[in-house]
Amino acid sequence: MIIWINGAFGAGKTSAARDLVELIPNSTLFDPEVIGRGLRHLLPQKHLDEVSDFQDLTIWRRLVVDAAAALLHEVGGVLVVPMTLLRQEYRDEIFGGLAARRIAVRHVLLTPAETILRARIAGLPAPEWAYDHIEPYRAALAGWLTRDAHPVDTSALTPYETAERIAEAVRSSDLGLCDIVQTPEPTSETLASGVLLFDERDRVLLVDPTYKPGWEFPGGIVESGEAPAVAGVREVAEETGIRLDRLPSLLLIDWEEAQPPGYGGMRLLFDGGRLDSAATERVLLPGPELRDCRFVTEQEAASLLPPVRYERLRWALRARRQGRPLYLEAGVPVG
């Protein structure tokens, strides 16, 4: 299990975490800042100059998940992780990666009053840098953060008292497990089915999963013994609440080459047809699986989808216009 202690810079996360490992048996402190400092020595300076925060590096988010999983495998017990996470998509990516490894996360948020927070920041070595993060923290607090984490007001608490509050919340089950989809990490090539759904303006539906970065089509991995078209219908219903009354027709088959740490495999796209306005208004977002969804034009999709998925969409739309399916290998039509 992981206890993730979130909060603004100056909230007292690290101090509370150090005391918390003394209160929770068989617990270990894991500070992801160590990974950020290590990357400064590993990555080319030109690469580092492209981001203002190491959290914006995909490799940092991936290494946090991998290191936490490896550390838990090595020492067992509980990991206490003091780390600010203000961007929901980063929280979803990291917590989703941990969930994929069957690692439970309990998310706690330290919430001192802003006046106290500013006073604490004033005593930090680089206060201006920390002040810059107050506004993003305030925005996250007004949005997703308080809905996701168990708040602990530390305005009048010492670090040890804060740790005691967290430990008590864990013991009493007030600090519940994060509700996020668990998608097991593949161990070999996979077969996946996606379904393209269109509105009355012929825009295509894209979804933003919580468990991986980037926008995607409704769909997912085909289960053992399951027909690909049936899998597509099932995934559409699970993700969006839309229940298709027929099996969708095939638009595209694309062989995706392995890109470590991924395994690749066969990717199928089906035509789920055009939804009427009443159906599009009934699109649901069932809690932990999706963060957002929207109907977009092909041009708009280019700015949302990763390049490999956009190429797949581009060829699938051509196949739809031509009325015949296409076969691709690594995004390039064959034959």
Side-chain angles (χ1 to χ4, degrees):
M1 181 181 73
I2 286 177
I3 300 174
W4 193 288
I5 303 178
N6 203 347
F9 296 97
K13 301 181 297 297
T14 302
S15 299
R18 291 196 183 106
D19 287 331
L20 187 60
V21 296
E22 301 300 324
L23 296 174
I24 295 181
N26 195 23
S27 60
T28 303
L29 180 67
F30 169 49
D31 190 349
E33 287 275 359
V34 174
I35 294 175
R37 290 195 294 269
L39 288 176
R40 294 189 180 99
H41 298 286
L42 296 173
L43 293 175
Q45 188 59 46
K46 180 181 178 181
H47 195 80
L48 292 169
D49 290 341
E50 293 175 353
V51 300
S52 58
D53 190 325
F54 58 72
Q55 290 196 9
D56 297 330
L57 295 167
T58 302
I59 188 175
W60 178 82
R61 303 190 298 274
R62 181 179 296 163
L63 285 175
V64 168
V65 174
D66 290 343
L71 189 56
L72 271 177
H73 179 77
E74 185 74 20
V75 302
V78 176
L79 285 191
V80 177
V81 183
M83 189 71 228
T84 299
L85 280 179
L86 300 182
R87 294 183 60 168
Q88 186 179 4
E89 62 269 30
Y90 291 173
R91 171 269 186 199
D92 292 343
E93 184 179 345
I94 293 171
F95 287 15
L98 293 168
R101 291 161 173 80
R102 298 295 188 260
I103 298 172
V105 179
R106 299 182 187 271
H107 190 190
V108 61
L109 174 67
L110 306 189
T111 59
E114 187 172 323
T115 53
I116 294 175
L117 186 64
R118 287 181 176 273
R120 292 177 183 174
I121 290 175
L124 296 176
E128 291 306 319
W129 177 80
Y131 282 132
D132 291 340
H133 288 78
I134 289 182
E135 183 55 40
Y137 166 70
R138 190 185 293 135
L141 200 61
W144 70 274
L145 194 49
T146 50
R147 296 193 303 268
D148 189 78
H150 176 81
V152 176
D153 186 348
T154 62
S155 299
L157 300 180
T158 66
Y160 187 79
E161 290 170 335
T162 300
E164 285 185 314
R165 293 281 182 90
I166 298 171
E168 178 56 32
V170 172
R171 286 191 293 268
S172 64
S173 299
D174 288 343
L175 186 54
L177 296 178
C178 284
D179 184 23
I180 193 165
V181 68
Q182 295 186 353
T183 302
E185 288 288 305
T187 57
S188 62
E189 290 185 335
T190 55
L191 173 63
S193 292
V195 179
L196 300 187
L197 299 166
F198 300 88
D199 67 3
E200 293 178 326
R201 294 166 53 188
D202 236 18
R203 299 177 302 174
V204 65
L205 179 66
L206 297 184
V207 297
D208 186 10
T210 58
Y211 51 89
K212 63 180 177 179
W215 288 72
E216 182 60 281
F217 321 109
I221 300 298
V222 179
E223 297 178 355
S224 177
E226 187 178 32
V230 173
V233 171
R234 172 181 56 78
E235 288 285 349
V236 165
E238 290 176 359
E239 292 184 354
T240 70
I242 297 172
R243 301 192 179 277
L244 300 177
D245 57 7
R246 61 175 178 82
L247 290 179
S249 56
L250 180 66
L251 288 174
L252 175 147
I253 301 173
D254 186 17
W255 173 78
E256 184 178 289
E257 62 180 335
Q259 296 286 346
Y263 286 91
M266 300 299 292
R267 308 291 179 249
L268 282 64
L269 279 182
F270 293 90
D271 185 354
R274 185 177 288 111
L275 306 173
D276 59 31
S277 58
T280 59
E281 291 173 359
R282 290 197 302 269
V283 174
L284 304 176
L285 293 178
E289 194 143 346
L290 295 181
R291 180 168 44 239
D292 196 5
C293 69
R294 68 180 69 164
F295 286 93
V296 299
T297 64
E298 181 179 349
Q299 183 178 5
E300 291 168 336
S303 64
L304 294 174
L305 292 172
V308 65
R309 293 177 200 156
Y310 172 68
E311 283 300 304
R312 203 170 289 150
L313 172 66
R314 193 168 68 88
W315 287 110
L317 293 177
R318 179 174 295 188
R320 184 171 182 252
R321 290 192 295 267
Q322 294 177 345
R324 62 183 180 88
L326 291 173
Y327 171 68
L328 283 64
E329 290 185 355
V332 179
V334 174

